[in-house]
Amino acid sequence: SSELTQDPAVSVALGQTVRITCQGDSLRTNYASWYQQKPGQAPLLVMYGKNDRPSGIPDRFSGSSSGNTASLTITGAQAEDEGDYFCNSRDSSFNHLAVVFGGGTKLTVL
Amino acid sequence: QVQFQQWGAGLLKPSETLSLTCAVYGGSFSDYYWTWIRQPPGKGLEWIGEIKHSGGSKYNPSLRSRVTISVDTSNNHLSLKLISVTAADTAVYYCARGSDQTPQGAWRSDYYYIDVWGKGTTVTISS
């Protein structure tokens, strides 16, 4: 199966903009979805599809994609945005249509 | 509003069988991918597999020989069985709902996301 690659850690100053990226062959033909996870909690969907936010997710979160790379951008990062971010998508390799996750990016808001 | 209630043994010995059940409350049971995901301590998320209400299932190739996911549509229960466990199977196990429905209501296989997660069950494998 294919893999999704994320930077292990990213930091951003409070109120600034940060982009978290996810790379993988599956992203050439599948949209990425993004999850935020805080310690001791289940992941929370924050972005999916073309650029779709679930209800309740602030509009400072946005998504984009180009080639084999998907990005989650937080414009005006807040302290509560600190946590781990995971991407995932369908994995179309070998016709399995399985699911793959990125290794996660730890976001620190300074 | 879909909610999950998960239960199962939290401590197993190597070579035993892990069994977890997840009751799904609210919402439709059809049209979604009922999913198990795990997260070893301090590590990332690993997709275990999924099943649709009709019974069609898919598994992570790395676990396929040991895992069975089933669904009981009479009571909306989702189950996970993992045989011959080792310490490497120690993790928090989540049941979750996968979907490929766009906000406009269309179904697209390239639009996959997991929109509802259970609270997770910690399973420890230790002799």
Side-chain angles (χ1 to χ4, degrees):
Chain A
S1 63
S2 69
E3 298 177 348
L4 296 177
T5 302
Q6 299 182 241
D7 291 328
V10 170
S11 62
V12 61
L14 185 67
Q16 295 304 300
T17 296
V18 62
R19 176 176 293 181
I20 300 169
T21 61
C22 175
Q23 284 189 303
D25 286 341
S26 64
L27 300 180
R28 295 187 184 279
T29 53
N30 297 280
Y31 289 108
S33 52
W34 292 92
Y35 307 86
Q36 176 194 70
Q37 187 179 36
K38 298 188 179 181
Q41 296 183 15
L44 174 71
L45 178 69
V46 296
M47 188 64 55
Y48 67 105
K50 217 169 198 178
N51 185 17
D52 298 303
R53 267 178 291 108
S55 173
I57 301 301
D59 61 7
R60 62 179 178 270
F61 288 86
S62 62
S64 62
S65 181
S66 178
N68 73 337
T69 301
S71 301
L72 176 72
T73 300
I74 307 174
T75 304
Q78 302 299 302
E80 61 263 31
D81 298 334
E82 196 164 273
D84 295 322
Y85 288 81
F86 296 92
C87 59
N88 92 330
S89 77
R90 279 289 183 197
D91 172 15
S92 306
S93 63
F94 307 109
N95 295 315
H96 282 165
L97 287 183
V99 173
V100 287
F101 280 96
T105 297
K106 183 175 185 63
L107 175 67
T108 301
V109 179
L110 303 172
Chain B
Q1 183 78 359
V2 174
Q3 293 184 1
F4 298 108
Q5 182 182 7
Q6 293 182 229
W7 66 90
L11 180 61
L12 295 171
K13 292 181 168 47
S15 80
E16 292 184 334
T17 296
L18 181 158
S19 291
L20 297 176
T21 301
C22 179
V24 181
Y25 299 103
S28 169
F29 202 66
S30 60
D31 298 326
Y32 296 102
Y33 302 92
W34 301 101
T35 303
W36 289 98
I37 292 157
R38 70 181 183 179
Q39 185 171 32
K43 296 190 178 179
L45 301 167
E46 181 179 30
W47 181 80
I48 298 171
E50 68 184 20
I51 190 168
K52 292 207 81 172
H53 80 288
S54 56
S57 58
K58 294 186 175 70
Y59 300 117
N60 186 321
S62 69
L63 297 170
R64 184 176 292 129
S65 63
R66 298 195 292 131
V67 67
T68 302
I69 294 174
S70 59
V71 62
D72 185 343
T73 54
S74 68
N75 57 12
N76 287 5
H77 281 189
L78 172 67
S79 296
L80 170 70
K81 281 194 181 351
L82 182 67
I83 65 172
S84 305
V85 298
T86 70
D89 296 311
T90 294
V92 176
Y93 286 75
Y94 295 100
C95 59
R97 187 179 81 171
S99 176
D100 50 16
Q101 187 175 30
T102 71
Q104 295 73 33
W107 301 94
R108 292 178 53 159
S109 61
D110 61 345
Y111 227 85
Y112 179 83
Y113 54 94
I114 299 167
D115 62 346
V116 186
W117 295 72
K119 287 183 167 52
T121 299
T122 298
V123 178
T124 301
I125 314 300
S126 174
S127 55

